[in-house]
Amino acid sequence: MIYVDSDSTTHNWHKACCELFNHPYIFDDPKFTCKTTDGLGLTNKQLWEKIDSQKEKFWSEMEPLPWFEDLIKLVNQYDEWRFLTSPSLSCYAASGKVLWFQKYFGKHFKKYIITPKENKPLLAYHNVLIDDMDENCELFTKAGGHSIVFPGVHNSNNNLLDKRLEHVREKLEQYYS
């Protein structure tokens, strides 16, 4: 089984935040190296209060990232897959993410697991996680799974931004050969 994270792997989290706060958005902006709050000059409380004020809309209307469809086609070539995503600090995240999945995959789409990030390693044994967060991948690997840090400006694979899908393909080839 391949588990695919959503925020910043298939959904454009940074653009949604920039638009919410009327902040200029630049694709792969290095100002977002670790936390969105750093790039926007906000506290965590300010960020989540504004996101929560949008309810499910913030989550359900995020744009897919340019490689979204190609990434899903790629993982389909190797194994069965599911989205594995955290509900974050917003009480509207889970339902908003389900609405996003249904928008792009149809009303009856159920290939997702929404759980706090601390639970992701519980699904590790002999499985693969594709996630943009180094920490999530490290914990998944320690729990007996394989992981692929999806290249982003905010993680250890920031030198592979122009080879995102090639990197995923190479890692999947290693794990499935």
Side-chain angles (χ1 to χ4, degrees), residues 14 18 23-40 152-155 158-159 161 164:
H14 291 113
C18 286
H23 187 277
Y25 170 72
I26 302 169
F27 191 73
D28 284 341
D29 188 343
K31 285 186 291 198
F32 292 100
T33 55
C34 183
K35 294 182 179 177
T36 300
T37 51
D38 297 341
L40 295 173
V153 295
H154 56 282
N155 65 38
N158 59 14
N159 60 324
L161 297 179
R164 286 176 167 105

Side-chain angles (χ1 to χ4, degrees), residues 41 50 80 82 86 146:
K50 182 79 169 185
E80 194 172 330
R82 300 279 182 276
S86 171
H146 299 288

Side-chain angles (χ1 to χ4, degrees), residues 82-114:
R82 300 279 182 276
F83 280 107
L84 178 59
T85 185
S86 171
S88 74
L89 298 177
S90 173
C91 62
Y92 301 104
S95 56
K97 289 180 182 198
V98 169
L99 290 170
W100 192 96
F101 298 146
Q102 290 176 343
K103 178 179 179 179
Y104 289 93
F105 292 97
K107 274 284 194 212
H108 301 289
F109 182 77
K110 292 184 169 96
K111 293 174 73 169
Y112 58 84
I113 299 169
I114 300 174

Side-chain angles (χ1 to χ4, degrees), residues 54-72:
Q54 302 300 300
K55 300 187 177 176
E56 284 93 355
K57 179 181 177 185
F58 176 81
W59 304 94
S60 65
E61 294 186 7
M62 276 187 206
E63 287 183 14
L65 285 159
W67 50 80
F68 159 65
E69 290 181 12
D70 292 330
L71 177 61
I72 298 304

